[in-house]
Amino acid sequence: MNNSLYAKIWLVIASLYFYAQGSGKFFYIFTFIVLFNYVIGTMIVRSSGPLFRRLLLGVGLFENIATLAYYKYTNFFLENLNAVSGHSYSLKNIILPIGISFFTFQLIAFLVDCYRRKVEQFSLINYLVFITFFPQLVVGPIVHHSDIIPQLEERQQRLFHSENFMRGVFLFSMGCAKKIALADPLTAFAQGFYSDVASADSITAWLAVIGYTFSYYFDLSGYADMAIGIGLMFNIRLPSNFNSPYKARNFRVYWQRWHITLSRFLSDYIFRGIYKKGRGSFNFYFAVMVTFLVSGMWHGAGWTFILWGILNGVFVCASHFMYRNKIALPFALAWTLTFIGIIATRILFVSTDLLHAGKVLKALFQFHEFAGLSAMGIAKEIVIYIAYHLYTCVLLLIAACIIYFAKNSEQILDRFKPNFRYALATACLLVLSLSQMTTVSDFLYFQF
């Protein structure tokens, strides 16, 4: 065996070990699923009979969707069955395996592309690296075979690339700082409000919902930066996942910039399977709504997620309607309405149920703390509040400046040069992250 093969085997073993640490009880099922999909995909590629290929695809899709449905939706189904029927079926003690939503979509995309003859024959070891590569395995980015496997077959990729390694460390440091210095404290503040909505005032409510909106961006994009950075250290380029989404002036653009690899999957395998050019506007808007309904169900098992998907679909349809009819709002108004919509959908996303979401919305507009006060009195209350919550307010201000005025990670990385300036920036970001690393903190998307 050559050194390249040894390296790939080591990488697969390391990735499997990494996964086993987080979902040990699911590890053997995960390994079986990965190998099963390789066998099905290989048979589809090698087969010529259309009926047999369609049957193989059906078997593969059923296995993936059924596994995801069992782990993610069984208790949701039982809860609603109990509510409708009056029975009291016991809920299952099911622990959601880490990353199941992400690697299931990768496997589905792989099988469908095999069926569409977009996949050429390749080795088992390359397939295993593509599926199990540990930086993207549990929270994305969601990669296609065409993103990874051609790189594994390039001779140049097998050589150590010092600049890629340095770029990777720099990007990893940015992701760490996003997660630990910004996302975690903002999430902690927001969760304090969401866990006790009734006792919170309106200022806290507004800061919390904005803070959660910011923290989800820094948490998920921070993980993406870390994953892409580690990939570069291994000389593997993972696809970009965020492109300044909160700068978008409408939801059509927002979803082109937010969780880009998820949007790509939904567009390629859901939307384009429904929408056919020439069938009119109804078909287009119907395809958009179904796509976002699937997105909501993919994110979680609950009516809040379903409504979240529907609401996003409505906003995207409205954006497309305006775009097609050349209706343009002033940028400031368009951006403001878009960000209000993003906050509204985030409230649904993080609330435990629809009643909880209603309480959060109500808390935003109570303003009990300002009752009977003059304008000067209200200003004084706000100043006192800021003084008592200075750390959180400063973090929100820093977060807002980064989101709206700074270049995003990809733009910064494009300007990277292996010099002292970037080395110092990397060291400072890592020291900052390590100094804040006092407790174990999950990534928010681990629950999906």
Side-chain angles (χ1 to χ4, degrees):
M1 290 192 293
N2 58 39
N3 290 337
S4 173
L5 184 57
Y6 279 123
K8 292 174 184 177
I9 292 173
W10 175 85
L11 189 54
V12 170
I13 293 172
S15 296
L16 291 173
Y17 177 79
F18 171 83
Y19 188 81
Q21 299 310 297
S23 274
K25 293 183 178 179
F26 186 71
F27 173 74
Y28 295 106
I29 299 175
F30 168 71
T31 305
F32 168 79
I33 289 171
V34 171
L35 294 174
F36 176 81
N37 277 268
Y38 176 77
V39 172
I40 294 294
T42 301
M43 292 175 68
I44 291 173
V45 171
R46 291 178 177 177
S47 301
S48 56
L51 184 60
F52 186 56
R53 296 178 79 248
R54 196 173 296 118
L55 176 63
L56 288 170
L57 176 64
V59 169
L61 292 179
F62 176 80
E63 177 274 323
N64 286 304
I65 295 171
T67 302
L68 180 62
Y70 171 76
Y71 281 98
K72 202 159 187 175
Y73 307 112
T74 296
N75 283 334
F76 176 64
F77 172 77
L78 290 174
E79 287 172 354
N80 285 277
L81 182 62
N82 288 340
V84 171
S85 67
H87 291 289
S88 54
Y89 296 109
S90 299
L91 301 183
K92 306 293 183 182
N93 184 24
I94 299 173
I95 299 175
L96 186 67
I98 291 176
I100 188 170
S101 298
F102 289 89
F103 66 72
T104 298
F105 269 19
Q106 285 186 205
L107 292 169
I108 288 173
F110 167 72
L111 292 180
V112 173
D113 285 352
C114 285
Y115 179 78
R116 292 175 177 175
R117 300 195 183 280
K118 293 183 178 180
V119 178
E120 297 179 359
Q121 198 75 29
F122 49 78
S123 66
L124 173 61
I125 192 63
N126 282 352
Y127 165 83
L128 290 175
V129 173
F130 148 59
I131 293 295
T132 67
F133 187 44
F134 71 93
Q136 56 79 42
L137 178 57
V138 294
V139 190
I142 300 172
V143 297
H144 286 219
H145 62 93
S146 58
D147 295 324
I148 301 297
I149 289 178
Q151 296 185 58
L152 300 177
E153 294 174 345
E154 291 178 11
R155 180 181 295 273
Q156 199 67 22
Q157 294 299 112
R158 304 170 190 173
L159 305 176
F160 177 73
H161 195 294
S162 60
E163 185 167 340
N164 268 356
F165 189 87
M166 288 184 281
R167 286 161 57 88
V169 175
F170 174 63
L171 188 56
F172 181 86
S173 71
M174 282 198 290
C176 269
K178 280 185 181 180
K179 164 64 177 170
I180 298 170
L182 291 171
D184 283 352
L186 290 176
T187 298
F189 175 77
Q191 287 178 341
F193 161 72
Y194 274 84
S195 64
D196 189 17
V197 177
S199 63
D201 53 50
S202 295
I203 302 177
T204 299
W206 277 103
L207 293 182
V209 298
I210 293 172
Y212 232 152
T213 303
F214 286 172
S215 76
Y216 256 86
Y217 169 71
F218 285 115
D219 194 278
L220 190 51
S221 70
Y223 185 93
D225 289 346
M226 294 166 73
I228 295 168
I230 295 174
L232 285 171
M233 296 180 207
F234 285 92
N235 228 20
I236 295 175
R237 298 180 302 277
L238 297 174
S240 174
N241 218 19
F242 291 88
N243 182 21
S244 302
Y246 291 165
K247 294 178 182 178
R249 61 177 294 156
N250 58 61
F251 265 74
R252 179 179 64 88
V253 176
Y254 169 71
W255 274 105
Q256 292 170 354
R257 297 181 172 193
W258 174 273
H259 213 325
I260 296 168
T261 57
L262 172 63
S263 297
R264 178 179 65 168
F265 175 92
L266 294 171
S267 176
D268 289 346
Y269 302 101
I270 306 297
F271 176 80
R272 292 179 185 173
I274 300 171
Y275 173 63
K276 306 298 179 187
K277 287 186 177 180
R279 289 193 179 178
S281 296
F282 177 81
N283 179 245
F284 175 82
Y285 293 122
F286 177 74
V288 170
M289 292 302 300
V290 172
T291 299
F292 278 95
L293 179 61
V294 171
S295 178
M297 295 177 67
W298 176 84
H299 276 92
W303 289 108
T304 52
F305 291 106
I306 292 173
L307 186 56
W308 174 88
I310 292 171
L311 192 58
N312 271 283
V314 169
F315 288 156
V316 172
C317 285
S319 300
H320 275 285
F321 177 82
M322 294 177 68
Y323 177 76
R324 289 180 165 199
N325 290 277
K326 296 180 171 56
I327 302 172
L329 299 176
F331 177 81
L333 177 60
W335 176 86
T336 301
L337 291 174
T338 300
F339 191 65
I340 290 172
I342 291 170
I343 290 175
T345 56
R346 186 58 60 195
I347 289 171
L348 275 173
F349 194 90
V350 299
S351 296
T352 54
D353 52 39
L354 295 176
L355 181 62
H356 187 209
K359 290 179 180 178
V360 172
L361 288 170
K362 183 179 178 182
L364 292 173
F365 300 101
Q366 290 186 118
F367 300 112
H368 292 320
E369 66 271 29
F370 299 141
L373 295 179
S374 64
M376 185 63 69
I378 292 173
K380 183 179 177 181
E381 283 294 316
I382 293 174
V383 170
I384 292 172
Y385 184 94
I386 292 173
Y388 274 95
H389 299 84
L390 187 60
Y391 178 63
T392 300
C393 292
V394 169
L395 274 182
L396 280 168
L397 181 61
I398 292 171
C401 289
I402 292 172
I403 287 171
Y404 299 117
F405 303 111
K407 295 182 182 298
N408 60 45
S409 300
E410 188 173 359
Q411 292 168 330
I412 295 171
L413 189 64
D414 286 342
R415 302 178 66 175
F416 175 84
K417 294 180 181 178
N419 57 28
F420 177 78
R421 175 189 168 193
Y422 282 96
L424 180 62
T426 301
C428 289
L429 290 170
L430 288 175
V431 169
L432 173 65
S433 301
L434 289 171
S435 68
Q436 300 292 314
M437 203 178 292
T438 55
T439 58
V440 176
S441 173
D442 288 338
F443 287 89
L444 293 173
Y445 260 62
F446 269 7
Q447 61 187 304
F448 307 120

